[in-house]
């Protein structure tokens, strides 16, 4: 499976961006999709996650500013980022887990290539 992330860029503090990550291939369903981020010199941290049943989780550091959503029919996950701060600057990665091609053939997980978000005036 290939996860294609897009939507990153340069934005001023207080601005907004919307990231997208689409899983390509003849996929039946994806149980779990999430966004992580990694700032220079730091570890990769979970930002937000979404289950196929509709459950979501958002890190405390971005709660109230970031929203995760997904389109199961398109195997796509989104991250709406509002009120961006300089400390949100990082490479954002999407991750998929439980990637089912059929009920008997599935992959445990896959990472996207990352998209850079820079928040600066």
């Amino acid at each position: 499976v290939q996860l294609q992330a897009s939507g990153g860029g340069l934005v001023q503090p207080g601005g907004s961006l919307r990231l997208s990550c689409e899983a390509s291939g003849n996929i039946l369903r994806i149980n779990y999709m999430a966004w992580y981020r990694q700032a220079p010199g730091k570890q990769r941290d979970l930002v937000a996650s979404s289950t196929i049943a509709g459950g979501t989780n958002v890190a405390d550091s971005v709660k109230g500013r970031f929203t995760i959503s997904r389109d199961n029919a398109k195997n796509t996950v989104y991250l709406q980022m509002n009120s961006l701060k300089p400390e949100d600057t990082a490479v954002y990665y999407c991750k998929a887990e439980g990637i089912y091609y059929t009920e008997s053939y599935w992959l445990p997980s896959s990472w996207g290539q990352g998209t850079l978000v820079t928040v600066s005036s």
Side-chain angles (χ1 to χ4, degrees):
V1 63
Q2 183 175 5
L3 297 177
Q4 184 67 45
S6 61
L10 174 64
V11 63
Q12 292 185 341
S16 298
L17 283 175
R18 188 191 194 211
L19 306 183
S20 300
C21 177
E22 180 179 5
S24 62
N26 192 17
I27 297 170
L28 179 63
R29 70 175 185 273
I30 301 175
N31 285 349
Y32 173 93
M33 300 187 81
W35 288 97
Y36 287 73
R37 68 184 181 185
Q38 187 168 20
K42 296 189 176 181
Q43 66 181 20
R44 190 174 297 187
D45 293 324
L46 177 65
V47 176
S49 63
S50 173
T51 70
I52 194 170
T56 61
N57 186 51
V58 179
D60 288 342
S61 59
V62 303
K63 197 163 291 184
R65 301 187 296 120
F66 290 12
T67 303
I68 188 170
S69 61
R70 59 188 287 178
D71 184 334
N72 292 327
K74 296 181 179 179
N75 294 313
T76 300
V77 64
Y78 306 96
L79 186 68
Q80 178 66 44
M81 306 185 295
N82 299 328
S83 302
L84 282 160
K85 304 175 181 180
E87 52 262 43
D88 295 319
T89 295
V91 177
Y92 285 70
Y93 297 90
C94 59
K95 184 181 183 184
E97 294 182 1
I99 306 160
Y100 282 77
Y101 291 89
T102 69
E103 291 299 336
S104 58
Y105 179 65
W106 57 283
L107 298 176
S109 66
S110 182
W111 286 94
Q113 86 286 3
T115 184
L116 177 63
V117 172
T118 304
V119 184
S120 175
S121 55

